[in-house]
Amino acid sequence: MSRPVLVVDDDTDLREALEEVLRDAGYTVFGAGNGLQALEVLRREPVPPSLVLLDMMMPVMDGATFGRQMRQVEAWNGIPVLVFSASANARQVAEEMGACGYLRKPVDVETLLKAVAANKAPEAP
């Protein structure tokens, strides 16, 4: 079984659309509406995701706080994070948090799928 992709975004319609696109492309997908929910998903799931697609501006817990807390847990430290933001400084934010890359919202399906495929962690043998 392939490791899932975790989509973290407070925009429910967008998150569900991203999840659907990724599922249609053959990925197992989990969703979370903010950083706190995403940490709960990480704690609950026995297999860590191969990639976190992370929005930055969210209520309850934003993407930067989630990223810092995720990196403090050894089992999650190596999970690649792809910043997904409408912010003009998405690249800078991604670099500051040690993300593997960034996507500017809105993004087309082809660009999204290429970025996910290029940045997800390799499957264990």
Side-chain angles (χ1 to χ4, degrees), residues 7-20 31-35 37 53-59 61 84-86 105-106:
V7 178
V8 188
D9 199 309
D10 61 314
D11 181 330
T12 304
D13 292 339
L14 176 60
R15 184 178 69 248
E16 289 176 352
L18 291 169
E19 291 174 21
E20 186 176 336
N34 60 58
Q37 287 179 5
L53 188 58
L54 181 65
D55 183 25
M56 297 310 294
M57 307 255 303
M58 297 177 286
M61 181 186 289
F84 186 61
S85 178
K105 292 178 183 176

Side-chain angles (χ1 to χ4, degrees), residues 71-113:
R71 296 287 184 229
Q72 291 174 359
V73 178
E74 190 174 340
W76 306 336
N77 205 355
I79 300 170
V81 173
L82 189 59
V83 168
F84 186 61
S85 178
S87 170
N89 67 343
R91 179 181 187 166
Q92 179 185 345
V93 169
E95 288 172 357
E96 286 171 1
M97 70 179 297
C100 61
Y102 70 96
L103 291 171
R104 286 281 307 275
K105 292 178 183 176
V107 66
D108 64 84
V109 171
E110 188 176 327
T111 302
L112 171 69
L113 293 176

Side-chain angles (χ1 to χ4, degrees), residues 20-91:
E20 186 176 336
V21 164
L22 291 167
R23 280 192 190 99
D24 287 348
Y27 293 99
T28 301
V29 185
F30 297 124
N34 60 58
L36 192 60
Q37 287 179 5
L39 289 173
E40 290 168 5
V41 170
L42 290 176
R43 286 186 194 104
R44 182 185 72 220
E45 295 301 325
V47 177
S50 60
L51 181 72
V52 176
L53 188 58
L54 181 65
D55 183 25
M56 297 310 294
M57 307 255 303
M58 297 177 286
V60 184
M61 181 186 289
D62 66 14
T65 304
F66 164 79
R68 284 192 298 274
Q69 292 198 17
M70 185 187 89
R71 296 287 184 229
Q72 291 174 359
V73 178
E74 190 174 340
W76 306 336
N77 205 355
I79 300 170
V81 173
L82 189 59
V83 168
F84 186 61
S85 178
S87 170
N89 67 343
R91 179 181 187 166

